[in-house]
C-alpha cells in the first residue's frame, strides 16, 4: 500500500485555464496546492492555434497563453505533477485521491477541472483510421494534410472555427453538418462563409470512412433526400462536442442529463469539499473566460471550506481539553 501524502491542503485535478486559475488563487492564499495533470498544463488551449477572445489579449497563441497561465500560477507556489487521477473519495472530512502511478494523497479540498474528451462519430472506419487521417485536433494534425481535401464534421464553434484554420493547409475544406444552420457564434460563421476554400454541406451526416491504410473517402448521407455520396478526402476531423470527464469520484456527484457536474454558486458539487470548474461543469457556455471565473470562485470557496474545517477541529480540541 502506498504511503499517504498529506502535504497538500488543496488538490486540483486538471491543468486547463480553470484549474490553473484555481491553483493561482489557493496558492496565493498560502494554501499548499498540488495540481495533477495527465498531459501538459494548458488543457484545450494548449492545442488551440490562436485565442482572440480572452479579455486583454487581442490575439495570442494557445500555447503561449497556456505557458503564461502555468508560470503565473507557479509563481505563487502552485506545484504541478504529471500523473493521472484514478479515484477520489471522502474519508471523514478529508478527501483521498489515488493516481494511476500508484500515489495516494489525503487533502482537505478537491477542485475538479478535468475538462472532457472529444466525442466520436461512432461510424465505420473511424477507429481503424484514427491517426491515419482521422483526427480530433486540427492544430496537432492539420499540417499533415497540406494540399489535400479535408472534411470537418459538426456545426458548433469548434467545427466551424477549426474548418477555417484547416484552410491554411487543405486545398478545400468541407463542413458536413446535420442541420441547415450552424450553432457556432455568428462571427465564427461569417469568417467561414467568407472563406472561398470552405464548402458547407448541410443536412448531412457522416456514414463511413474508407481507405486502405489512410483515409481516402468519406461517405455522407443527405437526411432530406436520403441519398448517399462519397467525398474523396484525405482527412476527417469530427468536432461534434465532447464528453465531460465527470466520473472520477467514488461518491456519485449530481450531474445534468449530458453528464456535466452540477454545482452551486460556490462551485461546490453535491459532495462537500469537492468543487468543480471549467468544461466539466454544467453551464451555458464553455469558454476560457468563464473557466477562469469558475476557477476563482472554486478556489475562494475551497479556502473557506478549509477555514471551516480548521474552526471545527479547534472547537473539538478545546472541548476535549476543557472536558479533562
Ligand atoms: P457543441 O457546441 O456541442 O457543438 C457540437 C456540434 O456537433 C453541433 O453542431 C451538433 O449538431 C453536432 N453534432 C453533435 N453530435 C453529432 C453527431 N452524432 N453527428 C453529427 N453532428 C453532431 O460542441 P463544440 O463545438 O465542440 O464546442 C464545445 C464547447 O466549447 C461550446 O460551449 C463552445 O462554445 C466552446 N468552444 C468555443 C470556441 C470559441 O469560442 N472560439 C471554440 C471551440 C469550442 P447540432 O447543432 O445539430 O446539435
Amino acid at each position: 500500500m502506498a504511503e499517504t501524502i498529506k502535504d497538500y491542503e488543496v488538490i486540483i485535478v486538471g491543468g486547463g485555464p480553470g484549474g490553473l486559475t484555481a491553483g493561482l488563487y489557493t496558492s496565493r492564499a498560502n494554501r499548499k496546492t498540488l495540481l495533477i495533470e495527465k498531459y501538459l498544463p494548458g488543457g484545450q488551449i494548449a492545442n488551440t492555434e490562436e485565442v482572440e477572445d480572452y479579455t486583454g489579449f487581442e490575439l495570442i497563441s494557445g500555447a503561449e497563453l497556456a505557458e503564461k497561465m502555468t508560470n503565473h500560477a507557479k509563481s505563487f507556489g502552485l506545484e504541478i505533477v504529471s500523473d493521472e487521477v484514478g479515484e477520489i473519495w471522502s474519508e471523514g472530512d478529508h478527501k483521498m485521491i489515488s493516481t494511476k502511478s500508484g500515489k495516494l494523497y489525503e487533502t482537505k479540498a478537491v477542485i475538479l477541472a478535468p475538462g472532457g474528451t472529444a466525442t466520436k462519430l461512432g461510424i465505420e472506419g473511424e477507429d481503424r483510421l484514427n491517426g491515419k487521417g482521422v483526427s480530433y485536433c486540427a492544430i496537432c494534425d492539420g499540417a499533415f494534410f497540406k494540399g489535400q481535401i479535408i472534411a470537418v464534421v459538426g456545426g458548433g464553434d469548434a467545427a466551424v472555427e477549426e474548418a477555417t484554420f484547416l484552410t491554411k493547409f487543405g486545398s478545400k475544406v468541407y463542413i458536413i453538418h446535420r442541420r441547415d444552420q450552424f450553432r457556432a457564434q455568428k462571427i465564427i460563421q461569417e469568417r467561414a462563409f467568407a472563406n472561398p476554400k470552405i464548402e458547407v454541406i448541410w443536412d448531412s451526416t457522416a456514414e463511413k470512412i474508407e481507405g486502405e491504410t489512410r483515409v481516402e473517402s468519406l461517405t455522407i448521407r443527405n437526411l432530406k433526400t436520403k441519398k448517399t455520396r462519397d467525398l474523396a478526402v484525405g482527412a476527417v476531423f469530427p468536432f461534434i462536442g465532447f464528453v465531460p470527464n465527470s466520473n472520477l469520484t467514488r461518491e456519485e456527484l449530481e450531474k445534468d442529463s449530458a453528464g456535466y457536474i452540477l454545482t452551486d454558486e460556490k462551485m461546490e458539487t453535491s459532495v462537500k469539499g469537492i468543487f468543480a470548474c471549467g468544461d466539466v461543469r454544467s453551464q451555458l457556455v464553455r469558454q476560457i473566460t468563464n473557466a477562469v471565473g469558475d476557477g476563482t470562485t472554486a478556489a475562494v470557496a475551497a479556502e473557506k471550506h478549509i477555514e471551516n474545517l480548521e474552526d471545527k477541529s479547534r472547537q473539538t480540541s478545546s472541548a476535549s481539553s476543557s472536558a479533562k
Side-chain angles (χ1 to χ4, degrees):
M1 187 67 182
E3 189 190 330
T4 308
I5 302 164
K6 298 182 181 175
D7 300 349
Y8 301 97
E9 296 176 277
V10 181
I11 294 186
I12 298 166
V13 181
L20 289 169
T21 305
L24 182 155
Y25 273 87
T26 53
S27 303
R28 192 161 169 262
N30 278 332
R31 294 292 180 185
K32 206 162 176 338
T33 306
L34 179 72
L35 185 152
I36 304 174
E37 165 59 49
K38 199 164 31 159
Y39 306 113
L40 286 175
Q44 286 180 76
I45 53 169
N47 289 327
T48 302
E49 197 204 24
E50 286 170 344
V51 175
E52 60 170 15
D53 54 2
Y54 185 47
T55 322
F57 293 86
E58 280 156 24
L59 191 69
I60 184 166
S61 82
E64 192 186 347
L65 183 58
E67 195 185 346
K68 276 183 183 293
M69 285 184 171
T70 305
N71 291 340
H72 192 182
K74 278 182 166 175
S75 74
F76 286 110
L78 176 69
E79 292 178 41
I80 300 178
V81 288
S82 179
D83 201 347
E84 188 174 349
V85 166
E87 203 181 16
I88 300 166
W89 68 97
S90 304
E91 275 186 13
D93 284 336
H94 284 189
K95 307 294 163 203
M96 308 299 293
I97 298 183
S98 64
T99 72
K100 299 266 166 89
S101 76
K103 298 251 168 41
L104 182 63
Y105 295 94
E106 180 177 335
T107 190
K108 294 174 184 166
V110 171
I111 300 177
L112 299 172
T117 42
T119 307
K120 292 196 169 183
L121 291 163
I123 60 173
E124 197 183 320
E126 184 180 21
D127 283 341
R128 183 174 62 83
L129 294 164
N130 189 358
K132 298 172 184 131
V134 174
S135 168
Y136 304 86
C137 177
I139 188 160
C140 320
D141 299 328
F144 294 125
F145 307 106
K146 268 197 185 109
Q148 299 189 38
I149 303 175
I150 297 171
V152 164
V153 185
D157 285 343
V160 182
E161 193 166 59
E162 298 306 329
T164 302
F165 170 68
L166 287 165
T167 60
K168 288 187 178 194
F169 310 105
S171 56
K172 179 185 181 88
V173 177
Y174 291 111
I175 305 179
I176 322 297
H177 185 40
R178 64 183 178 184
R179 290 188 297 131
D180 61 1
Q181 59 182 47
F182 290 136
R183 71 168 62 236
Q185 298 166 60
K186 283 281 172 293
I187 185 167
I188 294 176
Q189 294 194 30
E190 279 161 15
R191 228 172 264 150
F193 290 140
N195 192 314
K197 283 191 180 177
I198 291 181
E199 181 182 333
V200 182
I201 302 182
W202 301 110
D203 300 310
S204 299
T205 51
E207 295 268 299
K208 185 166 53 163
I209 305 169
E210 283 183 305
E212 283 273 310
T213 55
R214 302 203 50 80
V215 169
E216 289 166 22
S217 73
L218 172 69
T219 306
I220 58 168
R221 178 181 297 275
N222 184 299
L223 296 173
K224 289 192 169 149
T225 64
K226 310 283 179 226
K227 284 196 176 130
T228 59
R229 69 170 162 133
D230 293 341
L231 301 174
V233 296
V236 178
F237 285 83
F239 291 114
I240 59 165
F242 68 47
V243 181
N245 292 326
S246 55
N247 291 322
L248 294 168
T249 53
R250 191 179 288 174
E251 293 129 305
E252 190 61 37
L253 301 180
E254 277 176 24
K255 294 175 200 151
D256 67 15
S257 56
Y260 290 89
I261 297 172
L262 293 167
T263 63
D264 62 13
E265 78 288 354
K266 294 184 297 185
M267 303 297 138
E268 194 162 28
T269 68
S270 51
V271 174
K272 222 171 165 36
I274 300 184
F275 301 82
C277 61
D279 286 0
V280 78
R281 191 171 86 80
S282 178
Q283 57 185 319
L284 181 64
V285 283
R286 279 175 272 284
Q287 299 288 307
I288 302 169
T289 41
N290 55 311
V292 161
D294 284 3
T296 311
T297 307
V300 174
E303 155 72 358
K304 288 202 187 313
H305 171 77
I306 296 169
E307 277 172 12
N308 290 340
L309 290 183
E310 287 168 347
D311 286 348
K312 190 172 148 189
S313 108
R314 263 193 297 273
Q315 280 158 12
T316 316
S317 60
S318 72
S320 67
S321 58
S322 54
K324 279 179 192 162

